[in-house]
Amino acid sequence: MLRNFSRAFSRSIPKLDTLVLVEAAGGKITPASLSTVTAASQIGKPTIALVAGPDGESVVGDVATIEGISKVLVAKGSRYDHYLAEELSPLIKLILESSDQWTHFLTPGSAVGKSVLPRVGALLDTQPVSEIIKVESEDTFVRPIYAGNALATVKSNEKLKLASVRGSAFAPAKLGASAVAVEDVAEVESQNRTEFVGEELVTSERPELASASKVVSGGRGLKNKETFEALIEPLAAKLNAAVGATRAAVDSGYCDNSLQVGQTGKVVAPELYVAVGVSGAIQHLAGMKDSKTIVAINKDPEAAIFNVADIGLVADLNEAVPELTNKL
Amino acid sequence: TGFFMILVPVKRVIDAAIRPRINKALTGVETKGVKFSINPFCDIALEESLRIREANKGLVDSIHAVSIGPTKSQDVLRTALAKGADSSTLVDVGDQEVEPLNVAKLLKQVVEKQESNLVILGKQAIDDDSNQTGQMLAGLLNWPQATNASKVEIDGDTVTVTREIDGGADTLRAKLPMIITTDLRLNEPRYASLPNVMKAKKKPLEKLKAADLGIEIASRLETIQVVEPPARDAGIKVESVDELISKLKEAKAL
């Protein structure tokens, strides 16, 4: 079966270039995937999307209309539920090895992308480049290191270039182009031993943090969960912003882990980032200092957050935040 | 004796509290006279292996720490031994930077040598921020991988891991052997006591070269240059909420 698969591949797709893993969640293409397509387009060759599992199948129609996509490959089958790296890696390896026309494989810098890409790299004996923020040329990329305190320009000497893409650094590709061809790819045997037990997703009416155009973020200065909810949520609602938090706020239980912004959490670059009671530790700055406009509200005039804020207000957040919410 | 043979890779990195400075040649960051420490995520990995042993009497046969790096990486191994690792290996590569793929290949050799069946690694090193080594090692060994662990539960030879993912958490389960990478909130690492630091000096620290493991370290990526990120323009301070709102409108941020 594998041999047939390979043959079908090399015959039907003679001029392949960049393969992009397109991820879906809740029946929608993730914004990070659309940003990855943009990065792929900047490499300058045809871009082919790979979607997998029921989440992938649910968005095939949309993926086929992403601007810059020239074909969609669909891997059906329940083994691709939940995007397990153990299942996806052998599939991607086989696709990439089925033709020597492939020059690039990109994934979003999401939890899924970070889990899958290095495993694929190991199977192909290829060193990937993590979280690129700029495409200099087809083999040269810029990526942040040391929590964003340095930018490294990296040239890949690999025949096949593997990279993950930082979503906040590339505008999402638009939908609405005329639909391209969709082609099935066969399942691949994986010897997977990992069992998916379950998941617990945080539901919120607020926009998704990583892709929101506005973010209101709370830190240790909020003091407790009650204040966090009473001050941050209404301001975010008024601005139609996503809610974010510092590690200190998350560790103290003010809000869910998945809202953490920073080196070890989400990296965001919204139009407006409002930091409330945030001191501005380098690990937090790593996750938000590329925001277009940064506002800081903090009672400590020496707080490091004021070094990156475009507009700073030294004030007690318990008074300033409700006033701001009311006046917007 | 138990059947868990845990391997904990640890990396020596510039201390997390230090803001790195870029060198004059723009080839990397300044390392002279800078404080180095164990990578925080590796410290969490070590702590988790110690807790697995403490919480499951008789289950863990050995905890072996390994570091790949310059000769000075033996400092982080001594720290790991002081905290409770039984033995250690230094793969001394001098000043050469080793890419994750080569680290994973070296670790695979150590896994086989030590007969490890559970490898717990940090999810990323805070210097290169790659977040690759654990997944690559899992790929090379064809073992299950559970990345970004926030909770690890043991039942016999079955390991259940809760992971931090975009939008929440998920749970994966596998029987040994497997690979786990640690997220920040998995645990709070302990400090080594002075008596344990003294005792650690007598614990085994094996020194090897990459060639002893049959691995040739050739880089696949070339660093063209390393620069400071663009500085932000100086901001302004406002006196009131009204002024804040008017400045936001001026900046078209509302």
Side-chain angles (χ1 to χ4, degrees):
Chain A
M1 187 185 97
L2 294 192
R3 208 180 49 220
N4 290 340
F5 169 83
S6 303
R7 218 189 299 132
F9 235 97
S10 47
R11 191 176 58 235
S12 59
I13 309 170
K15 272 201 289 185
L16 298 184
D17 177 33
T18 299
L19 184 69
V20 171
L21 178 65
V22 172
E23 213 186 318
K28 279 183 153 172
I29 303 169
T30 64
S33 299
L34 295 171
S35 297
T36 305
V37 171
T38 301
S41 302
Q42 290 178 7
I43 291 167
K45 294 170 190 171
T47 301
I48 292 169
L50 171 65
V51 299
D55 288 336
E57 283 181 60
S58 69
V59 296
V60 164
D62 287 341
V63 175
T65 70
I66 300 175
E67 278 180 21
I69 292 289
S70 57
K71 180 175 283 199
V72 184
L73 304 181
V74 186
K76 294 177 179 165
S78 59
R79 65 166 69 234
Y80 302 119
D81 289 5
H82 319 300
Y83 299 109
L84 284 184
E86 292 85 337
E87 295 287 4
L88 282 172
S89 304
L91 171 77
I92 294 166
K93 173 184 193 277
L94 190 61
I95 293 173
L96 292 172
E97 284 183 340
S98 66
S99 154
D100 52 12
Q101 300 288 334
W102 294 108
T103 57
H104 293 77
F105 171 58
L106 303 185
T107 69
S110 59
V112 169
K114 285 174 177 172
S115 169
V116 171
L117 181 74
R119 190 162 178 129
V120 171
L123 299 184
L124 293 169
D125 192 29
T126 301
Q127 174 60 54
V129 184
S130 290
E131 292 225 47
I132 60 170
I133 58 167
K134 195 174 171 202
V135 176
E136 293 274 3
S137 70
E138 63 182 76
D139 61 7
T140 304
F141 311 95
V142 179
R143 61 175 302 262
I145 54 176
Y146 291 92
N149 283 298
L151 300 181
T153 304
V154 176
K155 179 168 180 274
S156 170
N157 293 317
E158 299 282 15
K159 187 163 167 285
L160 177 67
K161 277 86 178 158
L162 306 183
S164 59
V165 174
R166 177 165 288 187
S168 62
F170 296 88
K174 292 197 165 59
L175 303 183
S178 50
V180 298
V182 175
E183 192 171 297
D184 286 350
V185 294
E187 288 182 57
V188 173
E189 195 43 61
S190 67
Q191 299 166 354
N192 171 45
R193 299 190 289 110
T194 308
E195 178 198 345
F196 178 86
V197 180
E199 67 187 353
E200 210 173 309
L201 300 179
V202 179
T203 51
S204 167
E205 287 165 23
R206 304 261 57 81
E208 201 261 326
L209 179 58
S211 58
S213 66
K214 293 181 178 130
V215 174
V216 177
S217 203
R220 199 195 299 271
L222 271 310
K223 295 279 196 281
N224 55 52
K225 187 176 167 56
E226 292 68 36
T227 318
F228 191 96
E229 285 170 359
L231 296 186
I232 299 298
E233 301 280 349
L235 179 57
K238 203 68 168 278
L239 287 166
N240 193 28
V243 172
T246 65
R247 186 180 171 215
V250 165
D251 282 353
S252 306
Y254 302 175
C255 63
D256 189 79
N257 293 342
S258 60
L259 301 185
Q260 187 185 323
V261 172
Q263 183 184 22
T264 57
K266 298 264 168 28
V267 177
V268 301
E271 292 289 313
L272 176 63
Y273 189 89
V274 183
V276 177
V278 171
S279 63
I282 57 171
Q283 289 82 359
H284 185 71
L285 299 183
M288 47 65 78
K289 67 188 167 65
D290 292 324
S291 305
K292 187 144 178 285
T293 302
I294 298 174
V295 171
I297 302 174
N298 199 307
K299 70 177 178 197
D300 174 12
E302 303 302 320
I305 191 74
F306 287 120
N307 297 332
V308 300
D310 299 286
I311 310 174
L313 174 61
V314 180
D316 183 344
L317 58 89
N318 291 298
E319 290 160 21
V321 174
E323 186 186 345
L324 178 61
T325 306
N326 283 335
K327 287 181 172 171
L328 283 171
Chain B
T1 63
F3 55 91
F4 272 54
M5 312 270 277
I6 305 179
L7 184 72
V8 184
V10 291
K11 185 175 184 183
R12 175 181 179 267
V13 297
I14 291 183
D15 191 88
I18 291 171
R19 191 194 168 97
R21 291 198 349 265
I22 291 165
N23 65 21
K24 284 206 180 81
L26 303 183
T27 54
V29 302
E30 201 57 71
T31 54
K32 262 198 194 127
V34 174
K35 185 186 176 197
F36 278 77
S37 301
I38 185 170
N39 179 48
F41 292 101
C42 302
D43 205 9
I44 292 168
L46 174 66
E47 177 67 29
E48 196 62 20
S49 69
L50 300 172
R51 289 187 188 193
I52 289 170
R53 174 155 66 189
E54 288 159 2
N56 300 275
K57 267 229 161 318
L59 192 76
V60 175
D61 185 68
S62 66
I63 299 173
H64 187 87
V66 54
S67 193
I68 297 161
T71 313
K72 281 187 175 164
S73 297
Q74 51 187 294
D75 297 351
V76 298
L77 289 174
R78 289 291 173 205
T79 303
L81 294 167
K83 290 186 180 202
D86 305 308
S87 53
S88 64
T89 300
L90 169 66
V91 182
D92 191 335
V93 293
D95 289 330
Q96 192 171 1
E97 286 199 26
V98 190
E99 293 171 349
L101 180 59
N102 284 321
V103 173
K105 287 179 180 178
L106 289 163
L107 290 177
K108 177 170 184 274
Q109 297 303 311
V110 178
V111 163
E112 283 163 6
K113 203 161 172 269
Q114 297 294 326
E115 298 176 12
S116 314
N117 52 19
L118 177 62
V119 186
I120 311 183
L121 311 87
K123 76 167 179 181
Q124 74 191 65
I126 60 164
D127 50 4
D128 68 14
D129 283 336
S130 288
N131 193 335
Q132 294 182 354
T133 302
Q135 298 89 307
M136 291 187 133
L137 179 60
L140 293 177
L141 291 162
N142 198 19
W143 288 6
Q145 67 182 54
T147 53
N148 304 357
S150 59
K151 192 170 161 195
V152 175
E153 293 162 290
I154 308 287
D155 180 13
D157 63 348
T158 302
V159 182
T160 305
V161 178
T162 303
R163 309 164 61 232
E164 303 269 321
I165 58 168
D166 300 332
D170 72 6
T171 303
L172 303 179
R173 182 177 294 150
K175 282 185 190 300
L176 296 183
M178 78 180 294
I179 307 280
I180 296 172
T181 76
T182 61
D183 216 316
L184 269 182
R185 50 188 73 77
L186 180 58
N187 60 50
E188 194 78 45
R190 70 195 64 188
Y191 290 94
S193 68
L194 189 59
N196 285 340
V197 171
M198 301 310 288
K199 272 187 230 158
K201 292 184 177 165
K202 295 195 180 118
K203 286 187 178 178
L205 196 163
E206 173 194 33
K207 291 175 190 170
L208 300 174
K209 300 279 186 194
D212 298 330
L213 295 168
I215 303 294
E216 197 193 329
I217 304 170
S219 292
R220 313 285 187 86
L221 308 179
E222 207 178 309
T223 300
I224 309 290
Q225 68 165 9
V226 176
V227 297
E228 293 259 2
R232 293 186 70 94
D233 292 336
I236 53 156
K237 287 236 174 89
V238 294
E239 298 296 327
S240 67
V241 169
D242 290 329
E243 203 186 334
L244 171 60
I245 292 172
S246 76
K247 290 290 177 195
L248 279 173
K249 284 182 176 155
E250 250 173 62
K252 296 197 164 54
L254 283 183

